[in-house]
Amino acid sequence: MSTINIIKDKARELGTTQADALQPIRSAALASFDKLGVPAVKHEEWKYTRISQLFNQSYKIGTDTVDSKLNWELFRLPEFETANELVFINGVYNAAASTVRSAGLVVLPLEEAAKGEYASIVSKHLGHSAEYLKDGINALNTSFLVGGVFIGVNRSTEIEHPVYIYTINDGRAENVFAQPRTLVHVAANAGVMFVETYGSIGHADHFTNQVMEVVVEQDARIEYYKIQNDHAGASLVSTTHFRQVGKSYVHAVTISLNGAMVRNNLNMVMEAEYCESNMYGLYFTSDSCHVDNHTIVDNAKPHCLSNEYYKGILDGASTGVFNGKIFVRQDAQKINAFQSNKNILLSDTASVYTKPQLEIFADDVKCSHGCTIGRLDEEGLFYLRSRGITEATAKSLLLHSFAVDILEQVKPDAIRVYIDQLISERLGSYYGNAYPI
C-alpha cells in the first residue's frame, strides 16, 4: 500500500475513534485532501518545490506515545528558565514536558477549547488558513486534527515571559510524519512574543506538516520568531497564518538555516483599518538544502501598512525560492505596502527563484516590490583585502553585513545573539573564524 493511502486510512481511523467537536472539521478536510491530493509541479504555487517525493517513503505517524527518556531539552532556547515552554513531540502537544509560567496565558488542548468557553473562537477561526492555501498539504494537517493546542492571551494582558514552542521529532528508530496544529487568540489590547524552533533526535528522516493560525484583536501586539536549523534529513512545511481582525501590530522574522526541504507559508490577512505588519526573513543554505518562502499580504481594509524584506545566501547545490504576493482589495485605499527580496549566490551550482507580485484593485495606494540576485561585492572584497584582511575573513564580514538588516529585526537580545552564533558557526565552517555582528 502506498504511503498516501496509509495516511488516508489513518485519518479515516481518527474519524471513528475521535468523537469530539472537531470531527466535522477533520472529515471535511479529509474530503478536501482526497480531491486536491499532493501538489505536483503543475500546481503554480509549488512549481519549484517537489513535495511529492516525500510521500515515496514509509513513516511512523505521530502519536501521543512518547519515550520518557527523550531528551528534548537539548533544543532549549536561551533564557528558557523564564519562558513559557510548549513542547510538541512527533506532532502532538506534550503537556507533561511543557511549562506555563504566565498567569494571563491560557494553554488548552484544542479538543477541550472547542467545547468550552473558547468554543466560539475555535469555531470561527480554526481552518481560516484554508481560504488562502488551497492545496492538499494544508487540508492534510486539518484531517489529522488531534493533539493540537489552543493558546489564548487574555484581554489587556501583556505576557511578560516569551512563549517558546519546540517542535521535536523522535527519529531514533524510524522515519516520522508529524502534523502539529496550533490556534492562537490574542485578545484586545494584549501583547505576546512567540519563538518557534525545531529539532530532531536520531538520524532517521522525518516530515513535519505544521499549521499555526493566529487571531489578533483590536490594539493587540505580537512578535513572532521562527528558527529552522534541523538536520539534513528533516523536511518541513510550516504555515503561519495571521488574521488581524482589529487594528493591530504584527512583527514576524523567519530564519532558515538547514533541512532537506523547507517550505514556509506566511500569511498576513488585514481585515481591519490601520493594521501594521512587518515580515522579515533570512535563509542561509548549503549542500542540497531547499528553502521555499511563500508569503501573502491581503489588504482587505484601508489605511494599512506592510513591510516585507527577505534575504538569501545560497551555497553548494542548495536552492532558494521566494514567492511573495500583495493583494490590495478594491475598497482598501491609502495602503502602503513594500516588498523586497535580495539574494547572494556563493557557488555556481546554487540557484534561486524569486517572484515578488502585486495585485492592486484600488487606485490610491503606495506599493513597491523588487528583487536582486548577485554574488559577493568584489569591490568590497578588494577593499578589505587591501587593508590586510584575509580573503576568508573578508568574505565572512561581507556576508555578516549582508545579513545584519534581518538580524537587527530580532528584538530580544538573547535570541538575536543565539541566531548570530548559528550564522557565525556556519561561516566559520566555510571560512575559518567569523566575526559576530
Side-chain angles (χ1 to χ4, degrees), residues 189-338:
N189 200 36
V192 64
M193 181 181 78
F194 293 96
V195 185
E196 277 197 282
T197 190
Y198 305 80
S200 304
I201 297 174
H203 300 288
D205 293 346
H206 64 78
F207 175 26
T208 301
N209 178 24
Q210 176 196 34
V211 177
M212 180 178 185
E213 296 170 315
V214 187
V215 184
V216 194
E217 299 282 1
Q218 180 73 23
D219 295 318
R221 302 162 303 284
I222 291 182
E223 289 181 38
Y224 170 80
Y225 305 99
K226 180 187 293 184
I227 306 168
Q228 298 162 335
N229 190 36
D230 215 333
H231 70 70
S235 294
L236 170 68
V237 177
S238 177
T239 295
T240 309
H241 181 83
F242 289 95
R243 189 178 186 185
Q244 295 178 263
V245 298
K247 175 191 173 185
S248 53
Y249 173 85
V250 177
H251 181 90
V253 182
T254 302
I255 307 294
S256 299
L257 301 178
N258 202 17
M261 190 284 295
V262 177
R263 163 79 172 226
N264 295 309
N265 297 313
L266 179 58
N267 303 337
M268 294 285 180
V269 184
M270 300 179 175
E271 299 182 10
E273 294 188 47
Y274 299 102
C275 287
E276 179 179 345
S277 69
N278 297 288
M279 308 161 69
Y280 300 96
L282 175 67
Y283 43 101
F284 187 176
T285 60
S286 60
D287 300 323
S288 58
C289 178
H290 180 105
V291 175
D292 181 348
N293 285 290
H294 262 62
T295 67
I296 294 175
V297 179
D298 189 0
N299 296 276
K301 297 293 182 179
H303 303 288
C304 292
L305 169 65
S306 64
N307 181 46
E308 184 176 358
Y309 194 21
Y310 276 67
K311 284 189 169 184
I313 302 171
L314 301 105
D315 199 8
S318 65
T319 303
V321 180
F322 175 81
N323 190 324
K325 291 184 178 181
I326 296 176
F327 297 98
V328 181
R329 305 302 177 180
Q330 186 171 359
D331 295 331
Q333 306 292 345
K334 305 294 183 181
I335 294 295
N336 287 336
F338 308 97

Side-chain angles (χ1 to χ4, degrees), residues 319-376:
T319 303
V321 180
F322 175 81
N323 190 324
K325 291 184 178 181
I326 296 176
F327 297 98
V328 181
R329 305 302 177 180
Q330 186 171 359
D331 295 331
Q333 306 292 345
K334 305 294 183 181
I335 294 295
N336 287 336
F338 308 97
Q339 183 185 82
S340 178
N341 175 230
K342 297 182 179 180
N343 300 276
I344 289 180
L345 299 180
L346 298 179
S347 75
D348 293 334
T349 53
S351 58
V352 64
Y353 304 91
T354 178
K355 188 180 179 182
Q357 302 171 73
L358 300 174
E359 293 191 23
I360 302 173
F361 301 97
D363 54 14
D364 187 6
V365 301
K366 184 178 181 181
C367 299
S368 66
H369 68 311
C371 63
T372 61
I373 302 172
R375 296 190 179 275
L376 276 176

Side-chain angles (χ1 to χ4, degrees), residues 91-169:
V92 176
Y93 174 63
N94 189 289
S98 303
T99 303
V100 179
R101 291 186 167 90
S102 300
L105 189 69
V106 177
V107 180
L108 295 171
L110 257 178
E111 295 88 347
E112 183 178 334
K115 62 183 181 181
E117 63 177 298
Y118 302 101
S120 60
I121 295 173
V122 175
S123 175
K124 183 177 180 180
H125 298 291
L126 185 65
H128 189 263
S129 59
E131 297 184 18
Y132 290 83
L133 299 171
K134 300 182 183 299
D135 60 55
I137 298 302
N138 184 270
L140 182 58
N141 177 282
T142 305
S143 69
F144 277 84
L145 204 53
V146 174
V149 67
F150 172 83
I151 303 172
V153 182
N154 293 332
R155 185 183 182 93
S156 301
T157 300
E158 189 75 30
I159 301 300
E160 69 276 21
H161 305 298
V163 180
Y164 291 171
I165 301 177
Y166 303 93
T167 300
I168 311 299
N169 286 314

Side-chain angles (χ1 to χ4, degrees), residues 382-389:
F382 175 80
Y383 175 84
L384 292 173
R385 294 294 310 281
S386 68
R387 266 47 181 182
I389 298 174

